[in-house]
Amino acid sequence: MTSSSSPDGLSHDRLLDRLGEVAVRTGLNVAPGQQVLITAPLDAVPLVRKIAEHAYRAGASLVTPFYADDAVTLARFHYAPDDAFDIAPNWLHDGMANAYRAGAARMAITGGNPVLLSEEDPDRVARAGKAASLAGRPAMELITSFAVNWNIVACATPAWAEQVFPDEPPERALARLWDAIFQASRVTVDDPVAAWAAHNETLHRRADWLNDRRFAALHFTGPGTDLTVGLADGHAWAGGSEPARNGIVCNPNIPTEEVFTTPHARRVEGFVRATKPLFHQGTLIDGIAVRFAGGRITEAHATQGQTVLERILATDDGARRLGEVALVPHSSPISQSGVLFRNTLFDENASSHIALGQAYTKCMVETEGQTPEQLEARGANTSFIHIDWMIGSAEIDVTAITQDGAREPLMKHGEWVKTV
């Protein structure tokens, strides 16, 4: 592929190399002697090789890739016996968790077909997803607690491009998706690493301001939405690069436009309507509208994918409660691109959002030595899932509620009221 994707006429290979460099230097910030585990779709081989090259240049001791194959995934759903959908490769997930405990960095490359499983039996899809979540829980807990440095970047694939640009010929669709990824990932500028440093500073200023204000709750209002999200006791806002518990500063998501924190799992009230569709494990869920009482979803509806939504909510006790709330201005570059990526890594950075399931305890202060029960008492949710879905738009306002009950406008028509 030779598409030129920047005003300077940089070749596709040069931009891919820059993305690999940003993934390693800004995303992971690989330490000398550190091992790196990469998970990726088969189509991402060229990007994996760029990342491996930059990781070794940064001093990595070993880079180990694991590839997913959509055709093999579909073969399971077409030919495997029914009881096969209640198992997962625990040995692989346990091995990854052991690698993270030993200090390995985690790199995930996203880019699979967002509707791969849309025509498959939703019961089997849900069971396979739950089995995978159960098996991956030990590794996921290390990620959500920021025990190690980790990062997610994207690779354009033909199946994904077809979904994003369905009216384009395949080659043109793929080129357009790569262009959108390169732009959103800030690798088309003269010095991508420096551009990311400046962007991180902007996100840090916003997070610092929110932390200084120490709000008690956020109130989202707009069409189909009147939702109050209480914030966890001792919550902390974060955004952009953050130090992992191993001391390495990393950017978990490339791209990122959000500041986020931990909500109180039992202090969410009201109703909310999704502003973008959710693509979960190859299934489209659209038109989501839910109602919360006492922090728990008591009603849930979707115009498409209702059965899958219900099965997600039945995953465990924490699946009906929130583990994250994030604020993103409607003017974010990803929103302004006008592209519906059909991929959470991008679409969540075009819109304020909430996440069902597991909380990021990294977004809480003074957690050292606290038991899971103590963290739960402070509002942290526990679940096998963590699924972001978008609730922001140019029609959504956000009002902050202070500890003494006063109200302070935070976002109007999807934009920050105060510049920091």
Side-chain angles (χ1 to χ4, degrees), residues 57-221:
R57 286 179 173 178
S61 59
L62 182 64
V63 178
T64 305
F66 296 89
Y67 293 100
D69 184 342
D70 283 353
V72 172
T73 299
L74 286 177
R76 180 190 189 192
F77 281 87
H78 294 171
Y79 307 114
D82 186 68
D83 59 4
F85 296 92
D86 297 311
I87 64 173
N90 295 66
W91 56 270
L92 178 60
H93 292 288
D94 289 345
M96 288 182 173
N98 288 335
Y100 301 147
R101 292 187 189 101
R106 179 247 197 174
M107 167 64 68
I109 300 177
T110 184
N113 183 348
V115 293
L116 179 69
L117 303 179
S118 59
E119 301 300 319
E120 305 306 322
D121 181 348
D123 177 67
R124 289 184 167 187
V125 172
R127 287 162 54 201
K130 183 173 182 178
S133 295
L134 287 168
R137 181 67 177 274
M140 180 56 68
E141 287 180 339
L142 294 167
I143 298 303
T144 58
S145 66
F146 277 72
V148 297
N149 46 321
W150 59 277
N151 174 245
I152 304 175
V153 294
C155 171
T157 63
W160 181 18
E162 181 182 0
Q163 294 298 319
V164 178
F165 301 108
D167 298 327
E168 295 279 14
E171 185 174 351
R172 175 60 180 158
L174 186 62
R176 287 191 65 184
L177 182 55
W178 268 124
D179 289 350
I181 290 171
F182 290 144
Q183 292 284 349
S185 303
R186 287 182 163 80
V187 299
T188 61
V189 299
D190 289 339
D191 188 340
V193 173
W196 269 102
H199 181 52
N200 280 327
E201 282 301 313
T202 299
L203 294 174
H204 292 165
R205 285 196 302 272
R206 177 63 65 184
D208 288 345
W209 181 81
L210 288 165
N211 283 327
D212 287 343
R213 298 294 293 135
R214 193 59 58 193
F215 294 119
L218 304 177
H219 184 202
F220 294 81
T221 55

